Amino acid sequence: EDKVVQSPLSLVVHEGDTVTLNCSYEVTNFRSLLWYKQEKKAPTFLFMLTSSGIEKKSGRLSSILDKKELFSILNITATQTGDSAVYLCAVTGANSKLTFGKGITLSVRP
Amino acid sequence: ETGVTQSPTHLIKTRGQQVTLRCSSQSGHNTVSWYQQALGQGPQFIFQYYREEENGRGNFPPRFSGLQFPNYSSELNVNALELDDSALYLCASSSRFRGNYEQYFGPGTRLTVT
């Protein structure tokens, strides 16, 4: 059965800090790993990673995948209070369903 | 915003009742997936629809069923509601032509079963 484990489950930082969110996975016939940000309702898409070692960046957020060690990290630099949210990691296998982790609750204090 | 819409926004039902949730996919997307998200958990895959047929199912009982229409919109039906069915129900649309890798979520329907 496909499995995603995220760590830590929650963290509290101050504005301006840099945070690293971790995601490890087990999946049959890996196709992609996705990161989402969930504030109130709908998870919003951040990144999709399919190849090892290629960093994806969007502003202060970046992510990288290691297919050999089966993990990914999401980095957020110069955090802002608007970054407070639950960050979800998900993987897709052969059947294109998303298997999610439990999420990481990030709280950014002013 | 993703262009995926869901209705209703909130719903309160009594145990044993039946409920229908609706989802309209993003323009250009032909596949709809449904997820259940309990409080404090990640979303759990219920099933996926493509070309009006179920195309994969998670570990949910048969009282969870769905439909997809020719315009790619979809319904999720849950019969004989149980208290544990209380959750946020999310639908996500994607394009099979692009491998269904990127799935975009609607705002969800919050179902409360009392």
Side-chain angles (χ1 to χ4, degrees):
Chain A
E1 190 172 316
D2 299 345
K3 187 176 173 184
V4 175
V5 177
Q6 294 187 248
S7 64
L9 289 182
S10 66
L11 70 163
V12 180
V13 301
H14 287 97
E15 271 193 317
D17 288 348
T18 293
V19 297
T20 297
L21 311 181
N22 302 298
C23 175
S24 63
Y25 64 89
E26 296 172 22
V27 62
T28 303
N29 297 323
F30 173 89
R31 287 193 170 178
S32 62
L33 183 144
L34 296 91
W35 284 96
Y36 289 87
K37 177 183 182 182
Q38 186 173 29
E39 292 180 83
K40 294 206 175 160
K41 280 203 171 179
T44 53
F45 174 81
L46 294 175
F47 297 111
M48 184 180 76
L49 304 153
T50 56
S51 301
S52 274
I54 299 174
E55 186 183 52
K56 293 228 173 165
K57 277 182 77 77
S58 176
R60 297 176 293 103
L61 278 65
S62 64
S63 184
I64 197 161
L65 173 68
D66 185 329
K67 288 168 73 173
K68 183 179 175 186
E69 300 297 329
L70 306 182
F71 80 89
S72 173
I73 59 172
L74 175 67
N75 280 318
I76 308 175
T77 59
T79 51
Q80 302 172 357
T81 54
D83 295 326
S84 295
V86 174
Y87 290 84
L88 294 164
C89 172
V91 292
T92 58
N95 57 9
S96 76
K97 72 167 190 177
L98 287 170
T99 299
F100 283 88
K102 290 188 175 182
I104 297 171
T105 301
L106 173 65
S107 298
V108 181
R109 299 285 163 85
Chain B
E1 293 208 356
T2 62
V4 181
T5 61
Q6 291 186 244
S7 63
T9 305
H10 296 89
L11 205 51
I12 300 174
K13 289 285 190 177
T14 303
R15 195 169 52 181
Q17 286 187 313
Q18 177 265 344
V19 69
T20 297
L21 310 182
R22 295 178 175 84
C23 171
S24 292
S25 60
Q26 183 171 305
S27 177
H29 285 179
N30 54 18
T31 302
V32 173
S33 304
W34 286 92
Y35 295 84
Q36 180 196 65
Q37 187 176 23
L39 206 59
Q41 301 294 316
Q44 297 287 314
F45 175 73
I46 303 175
F47 43 55
Q48 183 181 90
Y49 275 84
Y50 170 68
R51 283 190 175 177
E52 303 175 51
E53 290 192 1
E54 189 178 287
N55 180 46
R57 187 178 184 95
N59 294 326
F60 282 82
R63 61 189 183 84
F64 285 77
S65 63
L67 287 172
Q68 186 182 33
F69 300 99
N71 66 355
Y72 306 127
S73 66
S74 177
E75 286 183 356
L76 164 66
N77 298 292
V78 187
N79 293 322
L81 283 167
E82 300 176 1
L83 296 179
D84 283 350
D85 295 333
S86 296
L88 180 66
Y89 288 84
L90 296 162
C91 82
S93 77
S94 55
S95 170
R96 193 176 180 96
F97 302 127
R98 298 180 60 186
N100 285 333
Y101 295 166
E102 292 181 24
Q103 297 190 17
Y104 295 90
F105 285 86
T109 294
R110 173 73 64 188
L111 173 64
T112 302
V113 182
T114 62

